[in-house]
């Protein structure tokens, strides 16, 4: 009988990996060890419908509890893995107990960056948004008329801003960079999203950083900004990015860069240890990337599962992503890394548009704003390797379907 597969991290990738191993028909013993107290659940709604109170937590679970017993997948929750002993092929829990593995998968995700204590990062009322506990704490703060400061104009910050406005809060969002979405999207996309947020009365202040948070009796009450101004706040949401959870791997002597380094078969530098999801850095177009998305967590974990079960197919990322803000659906296909040209195409109905990214003349990604047709077309173009003519794309009269012919 094949030995135990131990999966560290009971999140999106950890669950997908276990489920795929079973779907393939591989019956080896599996144990998932997860630090959180909940069964594996999807995170995207935490800053969308769950935070709005429109989705019960049960609906976030990938599977109900009995699925794990039915599929002979042992799951240990509220359990932190402290160490990997590679020579002994064991993982060591926080309570000192050991678990033997034949194959180990690290799906430990990422941890949100926090503000340092010196600028008030440890005051009460300062939150991040990564897990259910964060979302529950935030939901309790979201009461009409309260004032929230959101630090960081990435997707997490913008989604939180949309929820806060929906709940009737006064929202100020600061972004230290020249513009919101600087790291992830083109100026055209940022311009559209900025207008939408301003129409919803979010105060967006770009090129504005935080000097420090000011506390009273241990709770945040105000924020001093880099332009010298001070604003009163009731609570703060920090959305300034995440760092991969690669400490276990690093301490075990595995190769680590911006995350746990894996090859296209999701293998780390130890052949019996795999890694997938937000914690892994993988090969991409001759370089390396780390992706933070559901698509990557699932597809990479499933590829790892197939390899573990004896297959050979390499993981070739086909990135896609989405973000919901107000009634706006932003859908992204491809990965815009290194783009040198963009093209803005108006959509066929009001409020719809798409931004197409090119690198050295090749189409590499599209941001579709309330424009499902642009998203689907972009995704298909990437899958089929067709490079659309820019002139045709730029012409609003072109039916996108023609580009696929
Ligand atoms: C609020 C929010 C909104 C998002 N919205 C979107 C979206 O709209 N679209 C999209 O594509 N992606 C979105 N994402 C990103 C997506 O959810 C992540 O990319 C995905 O969850 C990554 O899966 P993962 O399994 O790698 O990590 P996670 O799902 O974070 O799971 C990792 C798990 O490992 C556990 N763990 C870590 N270290 C240990 C240890 N030593 N011992 C035991 N357990 C450990 C952690 O506690 C965690 O439960 C969002 C993320 C967040 C937080």
């Amino acid at each position: 009988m094949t030995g135990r597969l131990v999966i560290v991290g009971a999140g999106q990738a950890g669950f997908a990996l276990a489920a795929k191993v079973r779907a393939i028909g591989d019956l080896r013993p599996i144990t998932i060890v997860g630090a959180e107290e909940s069964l594996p659940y999807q995170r995207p709604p935490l800053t969308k419908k769950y935070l709005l109170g429109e989705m019960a937590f049960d609906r976030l679970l990938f599977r109900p509890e009995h699925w794990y017993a039915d599929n002979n997948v042992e799951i240990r929750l509220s359990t932190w893995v402290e160490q990997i002993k590679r020579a002994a092929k064991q993982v060591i829990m926080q309570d000192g107990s050991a678990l033997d593995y034949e194959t180990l998968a690290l799906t430990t995700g990422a941890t949100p960056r926090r503000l340092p204590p010196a600028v008030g990062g440890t005051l009460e009322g300062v939150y991040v948004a990564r897990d259910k506990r964060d979302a529950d704490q935030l939901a309790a703060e979201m009461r009409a008329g309260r004032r929230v400061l959101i630090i960081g104009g990435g997707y997490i910050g913008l989604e939180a801003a949309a929820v806060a406005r929906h709940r009737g809060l006064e929202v100020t969002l600061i972004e230290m960079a020249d513009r919101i979405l600087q790291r992830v999207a083109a100026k055209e996309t940022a311009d559209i999203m900025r207008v939408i947020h301003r129409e919803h009365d979010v105060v967006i202040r770009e090129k504005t950083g935080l000097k420090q948070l000011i506390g009273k009796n241990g709770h945040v009450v105000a924020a001093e900004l880099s332009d010298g101004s001070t604003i009163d706040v009731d609570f703060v949401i920090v959305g300034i990015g995440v760092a991969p959870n690669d400490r276990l791997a690093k301490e075990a002597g595995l190769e680590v860069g911006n995350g746990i380094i894996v090859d296209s078969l999701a293998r780390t530098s130890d052949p019996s240890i795999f890694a997938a999801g937000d914690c892994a850095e993988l090969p991409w177009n001759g370089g390396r990337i780390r992706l933070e998305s559901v698509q990557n967590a699932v597809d990479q974990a499933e590829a790892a599962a197939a390899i573990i079960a004896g297959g050979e197919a390499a993981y070739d990322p086909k990135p896609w992503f989405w973000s919901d803000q107000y009634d706006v659906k932003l859908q992204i296909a491809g990965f815009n890394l290194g783009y040198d040209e963009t093209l803005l195409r108006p959509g066929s109905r009001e409020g719809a548009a798409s931004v197409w990214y090119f690198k050295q003349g090749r189409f590499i990604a599209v941001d579709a704003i309330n424009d499902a047709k642009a998203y689907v077309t972009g995704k298909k173009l990437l899958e089929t390797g067709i490079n659309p003519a820019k002139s045709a794309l730029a012409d609003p009269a072109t039916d996108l379907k023609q580009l696929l012919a």
Side-chain angles (χ1 to χ4, degrees), residues 8-14 33-36 41-48 79-82 107-110 129-131 156 159 245 247-248 276-279 291-295 297 320-324:
V8 181
Q12 185 92 48
V33 188
E36 290 182 70
Y41 60 92
Q42 39 169 331
R43 294 185 196 281
L46 297 181
T47 41
K48 305 178 183 78
T79 307
W80 180 258
V81 173
E82 191 54 42
T107 53
T108 47
R130 180 73 194 181
D131 59 27
I156 296 279
E159 288 183 359
N245 290 330
R247 183 182 63 83
L248 273 181
D278 284 11
C279 68
L291 295 165
E292 294 162 12
S293 71
V294 166
Q295 169 278 322
W320 52 262
F321 187 85
W322 78 96
S323 175
D324 299 329

Side-chain angles (χ1 to χ4, degrees), residues 17 21 25 74 77 123 143 179 185 188 199 226 240 255 276 290 311 333 365 385 390-392:
L17 203 155
V21 168
E74 185 198 4
L77 299 173
L123 287 169
R143 297 192 303 278
R179 61 172 175 84
E188 292 87 335
E199 280 171 0
S226 58
I240 54 174
E255 253 186 87
R290 197 174 62 74
K390 279 181 228 157
S391 53

